[in-house]
Amino acid sequence: MSYQTIKTETLGRVGLITLHRPEALNALNAQLIDELGRAARAFDEDDGIGCIVVTGSEKAFAAGADIKEMKDKDYAQVKNEDFITDDWEVLSRLRKPTVAAVAGFALGGGCEIAMMCDILIAADSAKFGQPEIKLGTIPGSGGTQRLTRAVGKAKAMELCLTGRMMDAEEAERAGLVAKVVQADQLLDEAMKTAEAVAGMSLPVAITCKEAVNQAFESTLAEGVHFERRVFHATFALEDRKEGMEAFAAKRKPAWKHR
Ligand code: CAA
């Protein structure tokens, strides 16, 4: 498939998607969202892929929804199109684990897209924010919800109401990112993490992702119940047997399902 606003690459069992609209700091226009969705779905459906990495440029992961494309829309249009459309949510609906590798600006929709990924790794140059309020609007692709779940009400409220940017160190302290690395090591680190995940039994990795995500959708008791049931379900897999036998035999597991 050929794309104009993103680049894709298959590196072993990792699918790499690079947002590529350098002239607009990877601002998310309709074409980019469409291409990102198609590429992400294609990797998700590819049996050779175990993990997907989404990254941007050194200067920007993405500076948000394309303001120039959006500025002339009126209420009837956004209502009729259901803008921000469901296409924006594709990354949050993938079965396979995803890693966002963020350098530079991750603002508005850029921050929201990064937060849809399962593991967020930041370069020390990363800057996160939901600056929509400065444009007279509010986040429209999950920012008020996912940021609040990640960093808590106090910081999410302050970030969304002031529109200020948060650097990588603060984002790590607040629990938004898994780790911060030097900018020149970002892709290596993200790839290492993705390769480690892609090296696991795929049905178990998918089950694990579902169980963690359940924590955002249910009460603690419901979540623990869900976890117990899917933990039991792993015992139906040859890979569960293989993993434990390999441990006991002091050898590496040879997963059947990858
Ligand atoms: N939409 C469209 N174009 C954008 C853009 C955006 N979100 N962000 C940057 N650009 C364009 C600029 O207009 C500029 O284009 P020109 O060279 O043609 O003028 C180019 O990218 C480079 O940007 P700057 O010159 O502004 O670069 P800078 O380094 O001086 O500033 C910045 C960087 C602080 C990120 C600044 O560009 C900025 O504030 N961008 C907008 C950030 C924003 O408000 N994002 C939220 C969008 S709304 C949203 O995302 C809604 C939602 O929830 C989905």
Side-chain angles (χ1 to χ4, degrees), residues 21-28 59-60 62-70 83-84 88 105-112 129-135 137-143 165:
R21 279 191 78 209
E23 72 283 5
L25 300 180
N26 294 333
L28 306 161
K59 184 148 189 222
D66 191 314
I67 300 165
K68 294 168 193 166
E69 190 182 68
M70 171 169 62
F83 181 74
I84 300 288
W88 283 70
F105 299 111
L107 302 176
C111 187
E112 292 170 312
Q130 298 291 161
E132 290 87 345
I133 197 153
K134 294 181 176 172
L135 301 168
T137 184
I138 69 164
S141 196
M165 292 187 219

Coordinates of all heavy atoms in Angstrom, one line a residue, residues 21-28 59-60 62-70 83-84 88 105-112 129-135 137-143 165, ligand 1:
R21 N 4.1 14.3 8.0 CA 3.7 15.6 7.3 C 4.6 16.7 7.9 O 4.1 17.5 8.7 CB 2.2 15.9 7.7 CG 1.1 15.2 7.0 CD -0.2 15.8 7.2 NE -0.4 17.1 6.5 CZ -1.2 18.1 6.9 NH1 -1.8 18.0 8.1 NH2 -1.4 19.1 6.2
P22 N 5.9 16.6 7.5 CA 6.8 17.5 8.1 C 6.5 19.0 8.0 O 6.8 19.8 8.8 CB 8.1 17.2 7.4 CG 7.8 16.4 6.2 CD 6.5 15.8 6.4
E23 N 5.8 19.3 6.9 CA 5.4 20.8 6.7 C 4.4 21.3 7.7 O 4.2 22.5 7.8 CB 4.9 20.9 5.2 CG 3.5 20.4 4.9 CD 3.4 18.8 4.7 OE1 4.5 18.2 4.9 OE2 2.3 18.3 4.4
A24 N 3.7 20.4 8.4 CA 2.7 20.8 9.4 C 2.9 20.1 10.7 O 1.9 19.9 11.5 CB 1.3 20.5 8.8
L25 N 4.1 19.8 11.1 CA 4.4 19.1 12.4 C 3.5 17.9 12.6 O 3.0 17.7 13.7 CB 4.3 20.1 13.5 CG 5.2 21.4 13.5 CD1 5.0 22.3 14.7 CD2 6.7 20.9 13.4
N26 N 3.3 17.2 11.5 CA 2.4 16.0 11.6 C 1.0 16.3 12.0 O 0.4 15.4 12.7 CB 3.1 14.9 12.4 CG 4.3 14.4 11.8 OD1 4.5 14.4 10.6 ND2 5.2 13.9 12.6
A27 N 0.5 17.5 11.8 CA -0.9 17.8 12.1 C -1.8 16.7 11.5 O -1.6 16.3 10.3 CB -1.3 19.2 11.7
L28 N -2.8 16.3 12.2 CA -3.6 15.2 11.8 C -4.8 15.7 11.0 O -5.8 16.1 11.5 CB -4.1 14.5 13.1 CG -3.0 14.1 14.1 CD1 -3.6 13.9 15.5 CD2 -2.3 12.9 13.6
K59 N 11.0 16.6 15.7 CA 10.4 17.8 16.2 C 8.9 17.6 16.7 O 8.5 18.3 17.6 CB 10.4 18.8 15.0 CG 9.9 20.2 15.5 CD 10.5 21.4 14.8 CE 10.0 22.6 15.5 NZ 9.7 23.7 14.7
A60 N 8.3 16.7 16.1 CA 6.8 16.5 16.5 C 6.4 15.1 16.3 O 6.5 14.5 15.2 CB 5.9 17.4 15.7
A62 N 3.0 14.6 16.9 CA 2.0 15.3 16.1 C 1.5 16.5 16.9 O 1.2 16.4 18.1 CB 0.8 14.3 15.8
A63 N 1.3 17.6 16.2 CA 0.9 18.9 16.8 C -0.6 19.0 16.9 O -1.1 20.1 17.1 CB 1.5 20.1 16.1
G64 N -1.3 17.9 16.8 CA -2.8 18.0 17.0 C -3.6 17.9 15.7 O -3.0 17.7 14.6
A65 N -4.9 18.0 15.9 CA -5.8 18.0 14.7 C -5.4 19.1 13.8 O -4.9 20.2 14.3 CB -7.2 18.1 15.1
D66 N -5.6 19.0 12.5 CA -5.2 20.0 11.6 C -6.2 21.2 11.7 O -7.3 21.1 11.3 CB -5.2 19.5 10.1 CG -4.5 20.5 9.2 OD1 -4.9 21.7 9.3 OD2 -3.7 20.1 8.4
I67 N -5.6 22.3 12.3 CA -6.5 23.4 12.7 C -7.0 24.1 11.4 O -8.1 24.6 11.3 CB -5.7 24.4 13.6 CG1 -5.3 23.7 14.9 CG2 -6.6 25.7 13.9 CD1 -4.2 24.5 15.7
K68 N -6.1 24.2 10.4 CA -6.5 24.9 9.1 C -7.6 24.1 8.4 O -8.5 24.7 7.8 CB -5.3 25.0 8.2 CG -4.2 25.9 8.8 CD -2.9 25.9 8.1 CE -1.8 26.5 8.9 NZ -0.5 26.2 8.4
E69 N -7.6 22.8 8.5 CA -8.7 22.0 7.9 C -10.0 22.1 8.7 O -11.1 22.0 8.1 CB -8.2 20.5 7.9 CG -9.1 19.6 7.0 CD -8.6 18.1 7.1 OE1 -8.6 17.5 8.1 OE2 -8.1 17.6 6.0
M70 N -9.8 22.3 10.0 CA -11.0 22.3 10.9 C -11.7 23.6 11.0 O -12.8 23.7 11.4 CB -10.5 21.7 12.2 CG -11.3 21.7 13.4 SD -10.5 20.7 14.7 CE -9.0 21.6 15.0
F83 N -17.6 14.5 13.7 CA -16.2 14.9 13.8 C -15.9 15.0 15.3 O -16.7 15.7 16.0 CB -16.0 16.2 13.0 CG -14.6 16.7 13.0 CD1 -13.7 16.1 12.2 CD2 -14.2 17.8 13.8 CE1 -12.4 16.5 12.2 CE2 -12.9 18.2 13.8 CZ -12.0 17.6 13.0
I84 N -14.9 14.6 15.9 CA -13.8 13.7 15.4 C -14.3 12.3 15.1 O -14.9 11.7 16.0 CB -12.8 13.7 16.5 CG1 -12.2 15.0 16.9 CG2 -11.7 12.7 16.3 CD1 -11.3 15.7 16.0
W88 N -10.5 8.1 14.1 CA -9.5 8.6 15.1 C -9.2 7.6 16.2 O -8.1 7.6 16.8 CB -9.9 9.9 15.7 CG -9.8 11.1 14.9 CD1 -10.5 11.4 13.8 CD2 -8.8 12.2 15.0 NE1 -10.1 12.6 13.2 CE2 -9.1 13.1 14.0 CE3 -7.8 12.4 15.9 CZ2 -8.4 14.2 13.8 CZ3 -7.1 13.6 15.8 CH2 -7.4 14.5 14.7
F105 N 6.7 17.6 19.9 CA 5.3 18.0 20.3 C 4.3 16.8 20.2 O 4.3 16.2 19.1 CB 4.8 19.1 19.5 CG 5.6 20.4 19.6 CD1 6.4 20.9 18.6 CD2 5.6 21.1 20.8 CE1 7.1 22.0 18.7 CE2 6.3 22.3 20.9 CZ 7.1 22.8 19.9
A106 N 3.6 16.6 21.3 CA 2.5 15.6 21.2 C 1.3 16.4 21.8 O 1.1 16.4 23.0 CB 2.7 14.4 22.0
L107 N 0.7 17.2 21.0 CA -0.3 18.2 21.5 C -1.7 17.8 20.9 O -1.9 17.3 19.8 CB 0.0 19.6 21.0 CG 1.4 20.1 21.5 CD1 1.7 21.4 20.9 CD2 1.5 20.1 23.0
G108 N -2.7 18.1 21.7 CA -4.1 17.9 21.2 C -4.3 16.5 20.8 O -4.0 15.5 21.5
G109 N -4.8 16.4 19.5 CA -5.0 15.1 18.9 C -3.7 14.2 18.9 O -3.8 13.0 19.0
G110 N -2.5 14.9 18.9 CA -1.3 14.1 18.9 C -1.1 13.4 20.3 O -0.7 12.3 20.3
C111 N -1.4 14.1 21.3 CA -1.3 13.6 22.7 C -2.4 12.5 22.8 O -2.1 11.4 23.3 CB -1.6 14.7 23.7 SG -1.3 14.2 25.4
E112 N -3.5 12.7 22.2 CA -4.6 11.7 22.3 C -4.3 10.4 21.5 O -4.6 9.3 22.0 CB -5.9 12.4 21.7 CG -6.4 13.5 22.6 CD -7.5 14.3 22.0 OE1 -7.4 14.7 20.8 OE2 -8.5 14.5 22.7
G129 N 0.5 18.0 25.7 CA -0.4 19.0 26.2 C -1.8 18.8 25.4 O -1.9 18.2 24.4
Q130 N -2.8 19.4 26.0 CA -4.1 19.5 25.4 C -4.4 21.0 25.3 O -5.2 21.5 26.2 CB -5.1 18.7 26.3 CG -4.9 17.3 26.5 CD -5.1 16.4 25.2 OE1 -4.6 15.3 25.1 NE2 -5.8 16.9 24.2
P131 N -3.9 21.6 24.3 CA -4.0 23.1 24.2 C -5.3 23.6 23.6 O -5.5 24.8 23.3 CB -2.8 23.5 23.4 CG -2.6 22.3 22.5 CD -3.0 21.1 23.2
E132 N -6.3 22.7 23.4 CA -7.5 23.1 22.6 C -8.2 24.3 23.2 O -8.8 25.1 22.5 CB -8.5 21.9 22.6 CG -8.1 20.7 21.7 CD -7.2 19.7 22.4 OE1 -6.6 20.0 23.5 OE2 -7.0 18.6 21.9
I133 N -8.1 24.4 24.5 CA -8.9 25.5 25.1 C -8.4 26.9 24.6 O -9.1 27.9 24.5 CB -8.8 25.5 26.7 CG1 -9.8 26.4 27.3 CG2 -7.4 25.8 27.2 CD1 -10.3 25.9 28.7
K134 N -7.1 26.9 24.2 CA -6.6 28.2 23.6 C -7.2 28.5 22.2 O -7.0 29.6 21.7 CB -5.1 28.1 23.5 CG -4.3 28.0 24.8 CD -2.9 28.0 24.6 CE -2.1 28.0 25.9 NZ -0.6 27.7 25.6
L135 N -7.8 27.4 21.6 CA -8.4 27.6 20.3 C -9.9 27.8 20.5 O -10.7 27.8 19.5 CB -8.2 26.4 19.4 CG -6.7 26.0 19.2 CD1 -6.6 24.6 18.5 CD2 -6.0 27.0 18.3
T137 N -11.9 25.6 22.0 CA -12.6 24.4 22.0 C -12.0 23.5 23.1 O -11.3 23.9 24.0 CB -12.5 23.7 20.6 OG1 -13.3 22.5 20.6 CG2 -11.1 23.4 20.1
I138 N -12.4 22.2 23.1 CA -11.8 21.3 24.1 C -11.3 20.0 23.3 O -11.6 19.8 22.2 CB -12.9 20.9 25.1 CG1 -14.0 20.0 24.5 CG2 -13.5 22.1 25.8 CD1 -14.9 19.3 25.6
P139 N -10.6 19.1 24.0 CA -10.1 17.9 23.4 C -11.3 17.1 22.8 O -12.4 17.1 23.4 CB -9.4 17.1 24.5 CG -9.0 18.2 25.5 CD -10.1 19.2 25.4
G140 N -11.1 16.5 21.6 CA -12.2 15.8 21.0 C -12.0 14.4 20.7 O -12.8 13.7 20.1
S141 N -10.8 13.9 21.1 CA -10.5 12.5 20.8 C -10.0 11.7 22.0 O -9.1 11.0 22.0 CB -9.5 12.4 19.6 OG -9.5 11.1 19.1
G142 N -10.7 12.0 23.1 CA -10.4 11.2 24.3 C -9.5 11.9 25.3 O -9.2 11.3 26.4
G143 N -9.0 13.1 25.0 CA -8.0 13.8 25.9 C -8.5 14.0 27.3 O -7.8 13.7 28.2
M165 N 2.0 23.1 28.2 CA 2.7 21.8 27.9 C 3.4 21.3 29.1 O 3.9 22.0 30.0 CB 3.7 22.1 26.8 CG 3.1 22.5 25.5 SD 4.4 22.6 24.2 CE 3.9 24.1 23.3
Ligands
CAA1 N1 -2.8 22.2 12.5 C1 -2.4 22.7 11.3 N2 -1.1 23.2 11.1 C2 -0.2 23.2 12.1 C3 -0.6 22.7 13.4 C4 -1.9 22.2 13.6 N3 -2.3 21.6 14.7 N4 0.5 22.8 14.2 C5 1.5 23.3 13.5 N5 1.0 23.6 12.2 C6 1.8 24.2 11.1 C7 2.0 25.6 11.3 O1 0.8 26.4 10.9 C8 3.2 25.9 10.5 O2 2.8 25.9 9.1 P1 3.3 27.2 8.2 O3 4.8 26.9 8.1 O4 2.6 26.9 6.9 O5 2.9 28.4 8.8 C9 4.0 24.6 10.7 O6 3.1 23.6 11.1 C10 5.1 24.8 11.7 O7 4.5 25.3 12.9 P2 5.0 26.6 13.7 O8 5.6 27.5 12.8 O9 3.8 27.0 14.5 O10 6.1 25.9 14.6 P3 6.6 26.4 16.1 O11 7.8 25.5 16.4 O12 6.8 27.9 16.1 O13 5.4 26.0 17.1 C11 3.8 24.6 18.0 C12 5.1 24.7 17.3 C13 3.9 25.2 19.5 C14 3.4 23.1 18.1 C15 2.7 25.4 17.3 O14 2.7 25.0 15.9 C16 1.3 25.1 17.8 O15 0.9 25.7 18.7 N6 0.5 24.3 17.0 C17 -0.9 24.0 17.3 C18 -1.0 23.1 18.5 C19 -2.5 22.9 18.9 O16 -3.2 23.8 19.2 N7 -2.9 21.6 18.8 C20 -4.3 21.3 19.1 C21 -5.1 21.2 17.8 S1 -6.9 20.9 18.1 C22 -7.0 19.3 18.4 O17 -6.1 18.5 18.4 C23 -8.5 18.8 18.7 C24 -8.6 17.4 19.1 O18 -8.7 17.1 20.3 C25 -8.5 16.3 18.1

